[in-house]
Amino acid sequence: MFRHRVTVSAVDPIFANSARLPNMLRGTFEITFRRLVCHDISLDCRACPLLSACPYPAVFRPSPPAGAERLSRAQDLPRPFVLEPPVDAPARLRPGDELDVGLTLFGRANDLAPYFVVALRALADRGLGPTRGRLRIGRVVGQTPDGEHGVFDAGTAAVRPVLDGLRLPHLCQPNDERARRVRIRFVTPTTLKRDGRWVETPSFADVVCRIRDRLSSLAAFYGDGPVEMDFAGVGGAASAVRTVECRTRWERRTRRSNRTGAVHETSGFVGEAVYAGEVGPWMPLLRLGEAVHVGKYAVWGNGRVEVEAA
């Protein structure tokens, strides 16, 4: 995976707190990306002669890879990126105020990094919110195994993508393998289902199984192929880890589609839970979950978790 920090500064006053920013980005980033690459925005992608070569459907309208029968039946196909708006954004940005936005690209999507950067620049120039407050991208920095890599800054025109991404060993922490207890903070609304119903008090297995599913889908679409694992066995083993504390609450959020005007629920639980037992073997999966997020709407910053092992 390829993780980036995008530093932006306000040019105009912008009214956008941390709860509103994800919806603002969601409402403008996709259409900005499409306008950047599409030769005829009125066309349905399926009727476009450039479908197989166009970056837009590869990012926003993915199709299951050949042979992925299980994924072909999935309704929510994964996108190859995660945008992480800051969780502590002030209600009002004044000119000159800075924010850091996270951008993670998965697998082959890193080849499209210049499109992401240019689309974000166009979005910033166009402005956010009802007043169209403009932003300026100062720099984009990528993380590599050897440290930070300058991907873009305002003084240059070129985008220099990260060539060597982060892998699991770079994400794990010392002593993870000996952990007997783990605290998981659900930083942004996290939307999970169990037996067809929304989860409000997540068990350890709820979290682990959804990370498992998301990683498998991302690997099948944008990596080297589906992950080989005993899916049922993972769920059964994770159920042995018990919940010690669970302090979560339901946070209701909605978004209105710019295209259809329909209102969609993006609610989920926030808070934290502590789990105890044979936690160490699960820590690599949880560390990956910190990077890819968990549950629905992860691509726009929902399901962000922070993991603390003890």
Side-chain angles (χ1 to χ4, degrees), residues 122-169:
L123 181 155
D125 291 341
R126 183 184 179 198
L128 287 176
T131 61
R132 291 296 177 200
R134 294 168 300 159
L135 297 154
R136 176 179 177 271
I137 294 183
R139 59 190 177 275
V140 180
V141 176
Q143 298 178 21
T144 76
D146 298 320
E148 292 190 338
H149 168 82
V151 174
F152 171 81
D153 64 65
T156 64
V159 178
R160 302 173 295 277
V162 173
L163 299 180
D164 190 8
L166 300 177
R167 301 180 185 275
L168 179 57

Side-chain angles (χ1 to χ4, degrees), residues 212 215-217 219-220 225-229 231:
R212 171 204 64 187
L215 288 171
S216 178
S217 296
V227 176
E228 297 295 332
M229 71 170 72
F231 278 76

Side-chain angles (χ1 to χ4, degrees), residues 56-69:
Y56 173 76
V59 173
F60 293 100
R61 298 287 186 270
S63 299
E69 291 79 6

